[in-house]
Amino acid sequence: MDETKHKAVLWHEALDGLRLSRGDTVIDATLGGGGHTLLFHSAVGKTGRVVSLDMDQAAINRFLLRVKSESGLASAMEEGQLLLVHANFADIGDVAEDSGLVQVDAIFADLGYSSDQIEDESRGLSFLKDGPLDMRLDQRSGETAAHIVNVWPESSLAELFFEMGDEEYAKSIARAVVKVRKEHAFVKTLELAEVVRQAIPARVCLKRKTHPATKVFQALRIAVNDEYGNLERFLEQSVHLLTPGGRLGVISFHSGEDRIVKQFFRRMMKGCDCPPEFPVCVCQKTPKLKNVSRDPIVATEREVLENPRSRSAKLRFAERC
Ligand SMILES: C[S@@+](CC[C@H](N)C(=O)[O-])C[C@H]1O[C@@H](n2cnc3c(N)ncnc32)[C@H](O)[C@@H]1O
């Protein structure tokens, strides 16, 4: 296994926004290549603690290789300043409890996939490299992308490509997929990418700035990894884990994720969720989060030049009341 190739995005901004101090406890819900984790570890120092999760065992193993070769990191792990957990962030409440944490000073998530995962063709996440149609981040369980494209009814595929991928040719693509699978099952990524390309009119493919299969692959990754469901469960539990004044930061990479984060923050800032026609509040809910900034933080031009992946990153913060 090689060293990570993943470059952390918005790292100055993440560190500034979380306002970490020496001795703080932080949960990094998405270890990935470990860039943010290492940054938080140096910010909270030896008296602090960073608990980092990833649902991909390969990300944890890659980070452990680095730990082996850096004595400072190895002793941080031995002394409990740094803890790695193979878990879904949707279970952050249980992870915190198992790690002996009641409340934490900051929680951070950098959603999506690392460059290591995208570039590893055996994961089947990319339409540029031929690999098995798997796409699962946690390979212990769950439906693969092959299952979805080979088994789901045409109407469900069309709905998935449209709803999760914003693909305007969703229906034609679903029809083409079903036609091919009557002959043989889809096994590899490049064949699917080619069927998608052929189902979209050539003039549209030429006009698009991205690969014609981008949207369909995005939709499949979202469904395979239940990205939206996991994000919602993570946000709900995180609010209750934060100490008053503690901050929650989330980096998203597509509009569906960002919408979930934005709407969740808004709901938690409002508190009361009584219907507007009620003359007085009966739910007695109070705001749980405070606004930190209205607009999301995006990468500077310089960062985008140095790391094109940062182009679509949006970072939002909220503070526990
Ligand atoms: C963009 S990378 C994180 C990069 C990291 N911040 C860094 O500095 O290298 C996203 C990581 O989150 C992990 N991930 C995605 N969804 C997850 C979930 N529901 N639970 C836990 N980890 C998840 C992925 O496996 C991936 O390693």
Side-chain angles (χ1 to χ4, degrees):
M1 182 176 277
D2 298 330
E3 272 179 24
T4 183
K5 292 195 179 74
H6 188 83
K7 264 193 191 170
V9 302
L10 296 170
W11 58 280
H12 282 299
E13 293 83 352
L15 194 58
D16 275 0
L18 289 180
R19 293 193 315 186
L20 299 177
S21 310
R22 300 252 142 203
D24 277 354
T25 298
V26 191
I27 299 182
D28 180 356
T30 51
L31 170 75
H36 288 108
T37 285
L38 291 176
L39 203 64
F40 303 155
H41 170 58
S42 52
V44 300
K46 290 189 172 171
T47 52
R49 195 167 183 212
V50 181
V51 177
S52 297
L53 279 57
D54 207 296
M55 72 194 279
D56 181 6
Q57 184 64 51
I60 308 253
N61 293 347
R62 195 174 286 109
F63 192 82
L64 283 173
L65 276 185
R66 179 160 185 185
V67 170
K68 265 193 190 161
S69 64
E70 288 184 35
S71 59
L73 285 182
S75 60
M77 285 200 63
E78 265 164 35
E79 285 157 30
Q81 297 153 19
L82 194 54
L83 176 69
L84 307 181
V85 188
H86 180 205
N88 189 325
F89 58 52
D91 300 322
I92 190 170
D94 290 341
V95 172
E97 197 180 328
D98 294 346
S99 317
L101 303 174
V102 180
Q103 287 203 304
V104 299
D105 303 292
I107 300 180
F108 176 76
D110 174 14
L111 303 174
Y113 305 86
S114 69
S115 311
D116 303 318
Q117 292 164 328
I118 298 282
E119 283 171 26
D120 177 355
E121 62 268 29
S122 73
R123 310 300 298 263
L125 289 161
S126 165
F127 41 76
L128 296 175
K129 293 186 171 191
D130 209 12
L133 272 169
D134 187 323
M135 299 195 186
R136 289 169 306 162
L137 286 181
D138 187 338
Q139 295 182 315
R140 290 174 298 189
S141 59
E143 278 180 0
T144 62
H147 177 87
I148 294 178
V149 295
N150 290 318
V151 173
W152 281 23
E154 184 178 323
S155 58
S156 308
L157 286 176
E159 194 182 325
L160 172 70
F161 301 154
F162 183 71
E163 295 291 333
M164 306 286 184
D166 288 330
E167 173 54 73
E168 58 181 318
Y169 292 93
K171 282 190 181 163
S172 338
I173 296 168
R175 201 176 314 125
V177 165
V178 169
K179 192 170 166 210
V180 170
R181 82 184 189 198
K182 281 188 184 144
E183 305 292 323
H184 64 269
F186 282 92
V187 180
K188 301 289 259 313
T189 47
L190 287 192
E191 186 192 9
L192 176 65
E194 182 54 21
V195 168
V196 172
R197 191 186 65 75
Q198 286 181 16
I200 301 174
R203 64 184 157 77
V204 177
C205 289
L206 280 175
K207 265 204 219 148
R208 285 196 182 172
K209 290 192 186 122
T210 53
H211 188 287
T214 304
K215 296 175 174 198
V216 165
F217 271 60
Q218 173 184 304
L220 286 169
R221 289 192 297 249
I222 293 173
V224 166
N225 295 297
D226 188 16
E227 288 184 27
Y228 294 169
N230 287 335
L231 179 57
E232 276 166 8
R233 290 192 284 279
F234 160 75
L235 292 169
E236 288 288 347
Q237 295 167 57
S238 294
V239 170
H240 301 288
L241 281 173
L242 279 175
T243 191
R247 287 198 168 181
L248 171 60
V250 184
I251 300 181
S252 59
F253 288 87
H254 54 79
S255 56
E257 288 172 340
D258 185 54
R259 199 174 313 120
I260 291 176
V261 177
K262 189 168 71 181
Q263 289 176 351
F264 177 79
F265 282 4
R266 222 180 259 159
R267 209 165 63 238
M268 290 292 129
M269 283 164 197
K270 198 165 144 247
C272 166
D273 59 9
C274 292
E277 60 274 18
F278 280 25
V280 287
C281 167
V282 291
C283 75
Q284 311 271 313
K285 287 188 187 153
T286 52
K288 302 266 180 310
L289 290 176
K290 268 195 276 192
N291 204 359
V292 173
S293 69
R294 219 174 68 91
D295 295 321
I297 298 168
V298 294
T300 58
E301 274 178 32
R302 187 175 169 176
E303 179 171 4
V304 174
L305 274 179
E306 286 171 0
N307 182 7
R309 235 191 114 257
S310 65
R311 193 181 340 114
S312 43
K314 285 189 177 160
L315 171 56
R316 291 184 187 272
F317 288 104
E319 186 174 307
R320 183 75 164 99
C321 297

